[in-house]
């Protein structure tokens, strides 16, 4: 069977390198190169960008990124079994793919000479996806090193990222993401799109970094406020935020929030006003 890039089909790659999927590493592979090219296209203008990919596995999305013209791809993979398959891709695209073996939670991707604009594109291992997203969204200074994130999540997590106030999914992730980025779901994928199929459906979310946050606030204070507010989301804010400050009712009033309101009723602008009032208090 021929492939669009002339490399072997992914099923053959997996068989040749004995890449049986490991559940502990969140290994649900995409073997359809048309689909991985679509995900790569959703990441934006790759021809003028360096791309970081977390968890390339056998390289389906990596090949999509390279076929779509990424200037350079830095791929971080924890499973050493995948490295020979990835080396074959690197040889096919001289100078454009660098593979780093290790845990994405420990590796600094900026130590490898990437040039801006930098885009992050990944079919993330579900066990580390949310943690990486929160790290990328909460550096102390903005704009961040990345121009966009195009990331696969289980559908429930994607819905939380794009949720609006008043909805059941609205929470910490919605606020941290939408405070500093434009966010949208760009692709929905059923379990059958993966090998082996996971139990849940998945969505690709595209986040494009804003030049400045929508409203001023200190990232650490805002993170603390929303973590406390949504940690007990059914409670009134004067109760859920009590531990943050002895005069929390006054600070809520300064931010234009009634102390009897609940976290899911409060928009990003008001949470930022509350974070500023707390920082000043
Ligand atoms: N990108 C491939 C694809 O789309 O078919 C594989 C995606 S699979 C959902 C997740 C990949 O992340 C696996 O290859 C797994 O070995 C790797 N992985 C899991 N935990 C990781 C970590 N902490 N750091 C780097 N890679 C990790």
């Amino acid at each position: 069977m021929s492939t669009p890039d002339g490399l072997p089909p992914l099923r053959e790659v997996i068989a040749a390198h004995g890449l049986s999927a490991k559940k502990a590493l969140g290994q649900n592979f995409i073997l359809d190169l048309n689909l991985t090219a679509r995900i790569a296209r959703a990441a934006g203008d790759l021809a003028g960008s360096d791309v970081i990919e977390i968890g390339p596995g056998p390289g389906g999305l990596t090949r999509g990124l390279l076929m779509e013209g990424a200037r350079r791809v830095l791929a971080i993979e924890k499973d050493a079994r995948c490295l020979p398959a990835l080396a074959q891709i690197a040889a096919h695209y001289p100078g454009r793919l660098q593979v780093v073996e290790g845990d994405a939670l420990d590796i600094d991707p900026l130590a490898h000479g990437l040039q801006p604009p930098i885009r992050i594109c990944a079919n993330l291992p579900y066990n580390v996806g949310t943690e990486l997203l929160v790290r990328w969204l909460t550096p102390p200074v903005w704009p961040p090193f990345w121009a966009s994130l195009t990331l696969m999540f289980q559908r429930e997590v994607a819905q939380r990222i794009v949720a609006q106030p008043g909805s059941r999914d609205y929470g910490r992730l919605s606020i941290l993401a939408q405070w500093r980025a434009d966010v949208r779901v760009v692709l929905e994928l059923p379990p059958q799109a993966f090998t082996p199929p996971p139990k849940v459906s998945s969505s690709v979310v595209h986040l494009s970094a804003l030049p400045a946050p929508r409203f001023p606030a200190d990232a650490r204070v805002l993170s603390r406020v929303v973590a406390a507010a949504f940690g007990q989301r059914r409670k009134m804010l004067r109760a859920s935020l009590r531990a943050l400050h002895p005069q929390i009712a006054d600070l809520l009033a300064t931010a234009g929030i009634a102390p009897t309101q609940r976290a899911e009723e409060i928009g990003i602008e008001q949470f930022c006003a509350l974070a500023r009032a707390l920082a000043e208090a």
Side-chain angles (χ1 to χ4, degrees):
M1 203 174 81
S2 72
T3 56
D5 56 7
L7 283 161
L10 284 155
R11 269 184 209 290
E12 281 179 24
V13 173
I14 285 174
H17 297 279
L19 300 179
S20 53
K22 286 191 183 169
K23 210 173 168 187
L25 286 170
Q27 291 184 335
N28 302 100
F29 302 131
I30 301 180
L31 305 186
D32 176 352
L33 289 165
N34 293 315
L35 183 51
T36 60
R38 265 177 80 192
I39 298 169
R41 279 197 292 278
D45 171 23
L46 295 184
S49 308
D50 284 1
V51 181
I52 299 170
E53 185 192 359
I54 310 296
L61 180 56
T62 321
R63 287 165 64 173
L65 293 164
L66 291 161
M67 276 190 288
E68 291 304 316
R71 201 164 54 189
R72 215 186 128 187
V73 177
L74 178 76
I76 302 172
E77 174 57 61
K78 192 172 176 181
D79 185 353
R81 295 180 309 159
C82 300
L83 301 185
L86 295 167
Q88 217 175 347
I89 304 172
H92 192 76
Y93 292 97
R96 289 176 60 201
L97 171 61
Q98 183 183 358
V99 181
V100 177
E101 181 193 352
D103 189 328
L105 293 171
D106 302 330
I107 285 170
D108 175 10
L110 297 186
H112 298 273
L114 296 179
Q115 295 299 315
I118 296 171
R119 300 181 186 278
I120 301 179
C121 185
N123 174 11
L124 285 171
Y126 288 143
N127 47 354
V128 292
T130 310
E131 172 153 4
L132 284 170
L133 174 66
V134 170
R135 283 192 197 182
W136 290 326
L137 289 171
T138 54
V141 291
W142 201 262
F145 72 87
W146 51 267
S148 69
L149 309 174
T150 307
L151 306 172
M152 181 89 66
F153 288 101
Q154 44 194 114
R155 184 169 293 168
E156 290 68 28
V157 176
Q159 283 167 347
R160 281 160 49 201
I161 294 167
V162 302
Q164 295 298 309
S167 84
R168 206 185 38 175
D169 296 318
Y170 182 64
R172 174 171 162 261
L173 275 187
S174 333
I175 291 163
L176 294 182
Q178 295 172 40
W179 176 44
R180 288 172 145 179
D182 278 328
V183 305
R184 66 201 158 90
V185 171
V186 289
L187 208 58
E188 304 272 10
L189 295 172
Q192 303 76 19
F194 302 85
T195 302
K199 288 202 174 65
V200 294
S201 294
S202 303
S203 307
V204 178
V205 185
H206 183 77
L207 300 94
S208 164
L210 295 170
R214 280 179 213 285
F215 310 102
D218 179 278
R220 271 170 316 172
V221 181
L222 182 64
S223 295
R224 246 191 306 135
V225 170
V226 295
F230 288 97
Q232 305 179 71
R233 60 187 296 139
R234 310 234 50 85
K235 286 198 177 169
M236 294 179 191
L237 288 167
R238 70 170 170 226
S240 58
L241 300 182
R242 188 181 295 142
L244 292 184
H245 197 276
Q247 270 89 49
I248 193 65
D250 295 344
L251 299 180
L252 284 164
T254 307
I257 302 170
T260 52
Q261 285 187 285
R262 291 177 169 78
E264 63 193 32
E265 301 168 300
I266 308 299
I268 297 173
E269 185 168 10
Q270 282 178 301
F271 271 118
C272 288
L274 179 57
R276 290 197 302 275
L278 258 167
E280 279 165 26

